[in-house]
Amino acid sequence: MKGLRILIIADEVWNDEIHGNNVLSNWFNGFNAEFAEIYCSPGSPKNKCCENYFQLTDLMMVKSVIGKRAGRRFQISVPEMYKESKAHSAEQMPTRFYRFMKSITGDGLRVIRDLIWLTGRYNKNELQEFINDFSPDVVFCPRLLTPKLLRLERTIMGMTNAPFVAFTADDEASLMQVSYSPLYWLRRLLFRKAFKKHVNNYKHYFMFSEDQATDYFQEYGVTTSILFKSGDFTGEFMPKLHNKPIKLVYAGRLYCNRWKTLAAIGSALQEINAESVKMTLDIFTQEKLSKSQLKELSQYEFLKLNGRVDSSELVEIYKNADIALHVESFDKKNRYATRVSFSTKIIDLMSSTCAIMAICWEKHAGYQYLKKSDAAFCISDIEDIKSELQHIVENPELLQIYAMKAWNCGKINHNRDLIQGMIQNTFSNVIIQS
């Protein structure tokens, strides 16, 4: 069967080394399709799927205001991507400008960045040629929609008759946020107004959260469905004896106050291990901790901080652990900010041979999914951490039960054929309907 021609519009470069948990490669490795990508960041691609690119960057857009129009197309073969030394047509990253742009977090500076992307001039002739030459069957937009991407998508909608399908893993436009900045709310409300008009251009909208899918369908009338990452569930589940003491592992970032939830676990372990060591926690992270964070986490005897490890090392760490943690913050601002997010790492944890423990707000998408599937120990109140850990210490047979539940959930719901079949069917249907 002839494969589809899929044009991807994304913010980040499709590079599996920079983005090690890349859902694009997870979804599309082995997929019967030809790909092209338009992306809005510096850096060169590195993946096994796509060889055709059109790149836009902050620096290009700044220059385009008074000079050369922004955008360049290039091709690079998969073997060429994986050579150690090669010349790239793509604009690269190591400049002070990009370090500055990446550091932009204040609302005022975000507005300035928006204005650059809204007033900069695209090289429309080259962009149109790129789209015409590729002649896509469908345009797929996996991203958090922002003003710059909304404008880019709207521009490309005028250049092709191919249907558009979107994916988001974040809260794009709801008012369920916490901020005391008037500029934040002005930017949010203006974007929300534009989003309401723009969303009708999508033939389908994928997302991680069932609540968000329901909200988008009811509020905007767009058809929605849930699309998760796939995992490796080949073979059979292999039981393992639990450790003495029981080993908890957290691997990931500590932002959005996740570190405070981990500190609460450390505090609980101090009490649980008062008479003898029954349970420990290892944290693996690339984060550079502040002095106050380091002071807080270092005070707990049974919590150990470790640096970042690569994916192959992490597989072995999980094999030798008992519980893999998924945690989020409990403060209101971060609860709302991460409400519809579903860490793709959860799917990796299902195949890790560990039991999963989710500690987060009960309305968090990841928590709701794991709770509904009975695929993890689920704690929705920070005050319940100690009692749940103590219950596991007293009933260690639960570790094997929940490790198997996690594996079975993954094998049934997240095998590659199932996930790719969902994508294929959705794309085929929107093409037929267009």
Side-chain angles (χ1 to χ4, degrees):
M1 185 178 69
K2 182 182 176 182
L4 297 175
R5 297 174 68 82
I6 302 172
L7 174 62
I8 292 172
I9 305 174
D11 200 357
E12 301 292 346
V13 58
W14 190 346
N15 186 308
D16 293 339
E17 287 189 354
I18 297 174
H19 309 287
N21 218 8
N22 201 321
V23 290
L24 285 179
S25 289
N26 180 270
W27 288 332
F28 294 128
N29 276 339
F31 198 88
N32 182 26
E34 184 179 348
F35 297 92
E37 184 187 33
I38 298 169
Y39 68 100
C40 303
S41 63
S44 301
K46 199 166 189 179
N47 63 80
K48 297 178 180 178
C49 302
C50 181
E51 299 185 340
N52 301 300
Y53 296 93
F54 190 95
Q55 182 188 34
L56 293 155
T57 67
D58 291 303
L59 187 56
M60 288 182 197
M61 294 301 282
V62 168
K63 291 179 178 178
S64 77
V65 175
I66 56 173
K68 182 181 178 182
R69 290 178 179 269
R72 62 159 64 93
R73 63 183 296 184
F74 65 94
Q75 285 186 309
I76 180 170
S77 68
V78 170
E80 189 69 21
M81 288 186 216
Y82 284 85
K83 285 183 180 178
E84 290 300 319
S85 177
K86 53 187 179 290
H88 286 300
S89 300
E91 182 183 292
Q92 299 304 302
M93 183 154 336
T95 67
R96 291 181 181 178
F97 177 82
Y98 284 115
R99 284 195 292 271
F100 168 72
M101 292 303 289
K102 196 170 183 180
S103 71
I104 289 180
T105 55
D107 292 314
L109 291 175
R110 285 197 185 97
V111 170
I112 293 173
R113 192 175 191 180
D114 288 345
L115 289 174
I116 290 171
W117 280 89
L118 292 175
T119 58
R121 298 181 303 160
Y122 300 134
N123 187 341
K124 288 188 177 181
N125 290 336
E126 191 162 346
L127 181 58
Q128 182 73 72
E129 287 179 8
F130 176 78
I131 294 169
N132 289 347
D133 290 347
F134 184 67
S135 186
D137 297 309
V138 64
V139 181
F140 183 44
C141 308
R143 76 294 174 273
L144 164 64
L145 192 63
T146 58
K148 74 173 182 180
L149 287 166
L150 191 151
R151 181 195 178 196
L152 178 60
E153 288 180 10
R154 190 167 54 209
T155 299
I156 295 170
M157 286 171 181
M159 296 180 171
T160 177
N161 292 321
F164 276 62
V165 175
F167 169 86
T168 187
D170 297 281
D171 183 352
E172 296 173 300
S174 87
L175 300 180
M176 197 173 181
Q177 298 287 312
V178 174
S179 176
Y180 300 102
S181 164
L183 196 56
Y184 171 90
W185 286 110
L186 177 62
R187 181 175 182 264
R188 188 84 175 177
L189 290 168
L190 288 173
F191 177 74
R192 179 178 168 85
K193 183 178 180 180
F195 180 80
K196 284 184 176 181
K197 295 180 181 178
H198 187 69
V199 73
N200 294 321
N201 293 305
Y202 301 122
K203 299 301 182 183
H204 193 83
Y205 220 126
F206 287 121
M207 51 204 66
F208 284 149
S209 165
E210 288 188 10
D211 285 351
Q212 189 179 28
T214 301
D215 290 345
Y216 274 35
F217 177 71
Q218 291 178 346
E219 186 166 356
Y220 306 119
V222 62
T223 60
T224 59
S225 64
I226 309 304
L227 177 62
F228 289 122
K229 178 181 170 182
S230 67
D232 182 6
F233 298 96
T234 54
E236 297 299 324
F237 175 77
M238 298 297 292
K240 62 185 182 183
L241 296 174
H242 70 82
N243 293 286
K244 295 181 180 180
I246 294 169
K247 291 185 179 181
L248 283 68
V249 170
Y250 175 80
R253 300 190 62 186
L254 307 182
Y255 66 156
C256 292
N257 282 340
R258 289 176 181 172
W259 70 273
K260 290 187 177 182
T261 304
L262 294 168
I265 298 172
S267 177
L269 294 180
Q270 291 295 111
E271 297 183 50
I272 290 170
N273 295 331
E275 297 181 2
S276 62
V277 183
K278 304 178 185 72
M279 185 177 279
T280 62
L281 168 60
D282 273 289
I283 298 172
F284 297 87
T285 184
Q286 63 182 1
E287 301 278 309
K288 184 176 180 180
L289 299 172
S290 67
K291 289 183 179 179
S292 60
Q293 290 171 335
L294 192 59
K295 180 180 179 182
E296 174 72 20
L297 292 170
S298 298
Q299 70 177 307
Y300 301 116
E301 181 183 355
F302 307 104
L303 182 157
K304 183 180 178 183
L305 288 168
N306 305 274
R308 180 184 178 275
V309 293
D310 63 34
S311 56
S312 60
E313 291 177 289
L314 190 56
V315 169
E316 292 302 312
I317 289 168
Y318 284 137
K319 282 184 179 178
N320 295 311
D322 301 296
I323 297 177
L325 292 170
H326 169 67
V327 305
E328 296 290 352
S329 171
F330 282 89
D331 66 86
K332 187 175 183 179
K333 179 178 180 178
N334 287 304
R335 285 205 321 261
Y336 285 1
T338 61
R339 176 179 61 95
V340 300
S341 300
F342 183 102
S343 173
T344 56
K345 184 178 67 176
I346 289 175
I347 312 305
D348 297 329
L349 297 183
M350 289 179 176
S351 60
S352 70
T353 74
C354 290
I356 300 173
M357 178 174 285
I359 307 177
C360 42
W361 187 34
E362 63 184 4
K363 294 188 181 297
H364 184 274
Y367 180 95
Q368 289 183 326
Y369 179 76
L370 291 168
K371 182 74 172 179
K372 181 179 178 180
S373 304
D374 192 25
F377 299 108
C378 295
I379 303 173
S380 60
D381 189 327
I382 203 164
E383 299 297 328
D384 293 336
I385 291 176
K386 180 192 168 186
S387 60
E388 183 65 20
L389 294 180
Q390 184 67 51
H391 179 65
I392 293 169
V393 166
E394 294 170 359
N395 301 274
E397 68 277 5
L398 292 173
L399 294 169
Q400 277 304 303
I401 293 172
Y402 273 90
M404 184 176 289
K405 285 184 175 186
W407 174 277
N408 288 337
C409 178
K411 189 165 188 174
I412 294 168
N413 300 307
H414 301 283
N415 71 76
R416 184 178 298 275
D417 290 343
L418 175 68
I419 300 300
Q420 290 192 339
M422 290 171 58
I423 298 171
Q424 177 76 50
N425 290 338
T426 300
F427 286 174
S428 297
N429 287 338
V430 298
I431 291 169
I432 291 169
Q433 293 165 12
S434 296

